[in-house]
Amino acid sequence: MLFNRVQAVQKKSGEFDLLLCVGNFFGSTPETEWEEYRTCAKKAPIPTYVLGANNPETVHYFPDVNGCELAENITYLGRKGIFSGTSGLQIAYLSGTESLSEPAPAYSFSSKDVSELKISLLSTPKFKGVDILLTSPWPRGVGNFGNKPGEMDTQRCGSVLISNLATSLKPRYHFAALEKTYYERLPYRNHVVLQENAQHVSRFIALANVGNTSKKKYLYAFSILPMRSMDPAELVKQPQDVTENPYQKSGKEAHKPKMLSGAEEEPACQFFFDLSKQHGKKRPSDGKGGQHSQLKQPKKIRQPTGPCWFCLSSPDVEKHLVVSIGTHCYLALAKGGLSNDHVLILPIGHYQSVVELSSEAMEEIDKYKSALKKFFRSKGKRYVLFERNYRSQHLQLQVIPVPLSCCATEDIKESFILQAQEQEIELLEIPEHSDIKQIAQPGTPYFYVELDTGEKLFHRIRKKFPLQFGREVLASEAILNVPGRADWQQCTASREEAEATAKAFREDFQPFDFSELQ
């Protein structure tokens, strides 16, 4: 079932670089089906890297504790260690569940295993953290200071040793499984405010079991730039919803390990893009093995190839539509908007997409989004934001309000997905707290939707793309029910009407406008 799903996704979305699996890789897989892969009668459609056994019943599938090839395109990473991509991406991994005894059984890890893995990395000169950490158990206490994972009690489930490991390794992303539910925690700090220099944030994501009847999320796709290739200022940027470190106490209690029982019936899996198309190599936890880095190229600011309607300094910009001006960005009513309060967030300078923006400009965009969310909620509305980086030369973040009484957020998301499927467009749900710069590189055409709840959908444009797709979905009967306004050219107002609308919006928005308060 897993590989069938992978093939279907790749057929629609293009090739992925590798598949990483946490949880029980074998789960309830029939022995006869695995034999087909082991004997090369079948082949995994993508290079697949798996963690080891979590129970005694599956130990026999993993003949070498140091890792080995299990079948063509399927590799067991090993008991513990670091997988290094050729681009410099570092993936730390720890197989099994927590053990109370020494030595630990073949399906478990002990405090000694955790210590050896930590030492192998912490002894590295100028160690800042790892890009990804893979474990099967959750870390104990991961819900502290953050959003709660439904009915899960994070004070009782999970491993204290994993909490201790995450505290030391500071992964940018930590993936786990075994609890049969999907949970994306708010990002958390790796430094003490006002006492330590700012460090990158960490994100914990738990995935449900493959094929679960509740349809909880078990695949997670994103592109990640290796830490060592990132600009230091970008790396330590703190998102608005960042929380305190949940393991502040858990790390001190690591000497009190407790046994975690239970395992997934099927593996939880993620797709990852390593920005190098070459495959990486594994480094054992003793710290030996080569590593390669990929230098980040300096950004080149695009210049308009002709007259630009959206550069604020341009004589072509329609300044009567401008309703707010910040330091790096401005807000303007949309010409031919879906409604009278359809607005655009635009950079003052010439940038083609969000991916090319500076961190200062991104911070100001976040301020505008926050202000607009409060403003529209005061009017009984929620906003939908989308960007089409395709056949456009200046970034336009379209922000369209939808009455709360009209439809729920889930209905809006479902409308986008259904209409995308009808047009054979693969819209992938991406992590709520992810940065679009981790998913698309400068120059990559894409379409991107964001709801004011933080939920996001992304499509990498590979061929043609309908220019009015975002407007068509929102104008449809299921949402705003104004199909005649799907094409902006069919619904432009006179200059006098536009000026009056802009003036009214400006006055209404003023109490929420941070630029007026600076």
Side-chain angles (χ1 to χ4, degrees):
M1 180 177 182
L2 170 63
F3 288 137
N4 289 340
R5 174 61 179 155
V6 171
Q7 285 180 313
V9 172
Q10 291 202 125
K11 185 176 181 181
K12 289 184 178 181
S13 304
E15 296 297 316
F16 290 86
D17 290 323
L18 67 157
L19 170 68
L20 302 176
C21 298
V22 292
N24 268 351
F25 177 69
F26 290 97
S28 56
T29 304
E31 193 75 35
T32 52
E33 182 181 350
W34 171 242
E35 188 65 16
E36 291 181 305
Y37 286 97
R38 195 184 66 80
T39 59
C40 298
K42 287 185 177 180
K43 177 184 174 182
I46 182 174
T48 302
Y49 298 88
V50 308
L51 293 182
N54 295 307
N55 52 60
E57 291 76 24
T58 55
V59 168
H60 68 280
Y61 288 109
F62 305 95
D64 187 345
V65 295
N66 295 315
C68 59
E69 184 178 75
L70 302 179
E72 187 174 2
N73 249 8
I74 303 176
T75 302
Y76 165 43
L77 286 168
R79 189 160 185 160
K80 62 182 183 295
I82 303 95
F83 180 91
S84 295
T86 55
S87 66
L89 191 74
Q90 276 201 326
I91 304 172
Y93 57 88
L94 181 66
S95 292
T97 56
E98 186 175 316
S99 173
L100 287 171
S101 59
E102 288 277 6
Y107 55 87
S108 298
F109 59 84
S110 65
S111 58
K112 181 181 178 182
D113 292 314
V114 171
S115 296
E116 289 177 353
L117 180 55
K118 286 167 54 178
I119 291 170
S120 69
L121 282 161
L122 297 179
S123 59
T124 305
K126 298 182 180 180
F127 176 77
K128 294 180 180 178
V130 296
D131 293 299
I132 298 168
L133 173 61
L134 303 177
T135 64
S136 286
W138 288 28
R140 178 74 58 85
V142 68
N144 294 338
F145 310 119
N147 51 318
K148 304 302 180 185
E151 297 179 358
M152 293 286 298
D153 184 356
T154 60
Q155 296 297 329
R156 295 189 177 186
C157 76
S159 162
V160 175
L161 287 179
I162 297 295
S163 303
N164 180 263
L165 183 65
T167 301
S168 298
L169 299 193
K170 302 175 184 177
R172 291 164 63 201
Y173 287 88
H174 179 183
F175 293 92
L178 293 187
E179 300 297 341
K180 299 185 179 181
T181 192
Y182 173 73
Y183 169 50
E184 181 179 1
R185 191 201 184 280
L186 292 173
Y188 63 84
R189 297 186 184 94
N190 283 302
H191 67 278
V192 179
V193 178
L194 301 180
Q195 296 183 32
E196 298 175 320
N197 293 331
Q199 298 182 44
H200 62 274
V201 301
S202 291
R203 291 174 168 86
F204 173 76
I205 297 156
L207 296 169
N209 46 314
V210 171
N212 66 88
T213 56
S214 301
K215 297 185 178 180
K216 295 177 181 177
K217 189 169 180 177
Y218 63 84
L219 287 179
Y220 190 97
F222 75 111
S223 176
I224 179 171
L225 186 69
M227 183 186 302
R228 64 179 60 190
S229 300
M230 292 184 67
D231 177 78
E234 288 290 330
L235 178 63
V236 302
K237 181 181 175 183
Q238 305 291 298
Q240 291 184 334
D241 53 358
V242 68
T243 76
E244 294 300 322
N245 192 306
Y247 314 126
Q248 288 176 342
K249 294 181 180 180
S250 299
K252 297 177 182 179
E253 298 169 358
H255 64 282
K256 301 177 182 178
K258 294 185 179 180
M259 191 63 153
L260 174 69
S261 59
E264 278 188 20
E265 294 176 0
E266 293 286 348
C269 305
Q270 308 86 35
F271 290 106
F272 292 99
F273 290 104
D274 185 346
L275 297 185
S276 166
K277 286 295 181 182
Q278 303 173 21
H279 299 314
K281 61 182 178 180
K282 195 160 67 75
R283 178 161 66 92
S285 59
D286 60 6
K288 297 177 182 178
Q291 300 177 39
H292 301 275
S293 62
Q294 175 178 299
L295 295 176
K296 183 178 180 180
Q297 298 297 318
K299 289 183 180 178
K300 294 181 180 179
I301 299 176
R302 294 173 180 264
Q303 297 300 319
T305 55
C308 181
W309 294 351
F310 302 107
C311 286
L312 196 56
S313 60
S314 170
D316 297 293
V317 71
E318 301 195 52
K319 292 186 170 63
H320 63 284
L321 297 175
V322 176
V323 294
S324 172
I325 301 177
T327 305
H328 304 280
C329 305
Y330 71 100
L331 202 63
L333 283 183
K335 186 176 181 179
L338 286 166
S339 61
N340 286 340
D341 43 8
H342 175 174
V343 294
L344 308 178
I345 305 175
L346 306 120
I348 291 173
H350 191 78
Y351 294 90
Q352 185 175 358
S353 69
V354 162
V355 177
E356 298 178 359
L357 290 180
S358 66
S359 57
E360 293 81 9
M362 282 302 303
E363 287 176 6
E364 195 160 272
I365 282 178
D366 288 339
K367 286 183 179 179
Y368 269 124
K369 289 195 291 187
S370 178
L372 287 169
K373 179 177 181 178
K374 293 175 183 176
F375 170 64
F376 288 132
R377 285 301 172 104
S378 74
K379 302 289 185 181
K381 301 178 181 182
R382 59 167 59 87
Y383 76 66
V384 180
L385 176 151
F386 70 82
E387 177 194 359
R388 187 197 75 231
N389 182 30
Y390 173 71
R391 293 182 64 181
S392 61
Q393 63 168 330
H394 192 111
L395 165 63
Q396 304 162 53
L397 291 179
Q398 307 269 349
V399 185
I400 301 92
V402 177
L404 294 172
S405 58
C406 178
C407 52
T409 300
E410 195 63 32
D411 297 326
I412 297 173
K413 183 169 71 171
E414 184 177 351
S415 292
F416 270 99
I417 292 172
L418 288 176
Q419 292 197 42
Q421 290 174 343
E422 289 175 4
Q423 301 188 48
E424 297 185 345
I425 297 169
E426 180 73 9
L427 266 183
L428 298 175
E429 189 168 355
I430 60 176
E432 292 180 19
H433 309 292
S434 64
D435 189 332
I436 191 71
K437 294 182 180 183
Q438 296 174 312
I439 300 168
Q441 299 180 63
T444 300
Y446 62 84
F447 177 78
Y448 163 71
V449 183
E450 180 178 329
L451 306 177
D452 72 349
T453 56
E455 295 173 270
K456 301 174 184 177
L457 301 171
F458 177 84
H459 170 66
R460 188 187 299 272
I461 300 173
R462 301 184 185 279
K463 295 181 181 179
K464 293 183 179 180
F465 185 80
L467 298 182
Q468 305 297 336
F469 176 72
R471 291 180 63 107
E472 289 170 354
V473 174
L474 292 168
S476 67
E477 183 179 346
I479 303 180
L480 291 174
N481 195 22
V482 288
R485 302 187 72 86
D487 185 349
W488 71 272
Q489 293 177 318
Q490 303 301 316
C491 50
T492 53
S494 68
R495 184 181 176 96
E496 292 74 19
E497 291 173 324
E499 285 179 344
T501 303
K503 181 181 178 182
F505 184 96
R506 197 178 297 116
E507 291 173 353
D508 264 4
F509 182 63
Q510 189 171 12
F512 302 86
D513 189 356
F514 67 90
S515 69
E516 293 286 330
L517 304 174
Q518 290 177 345

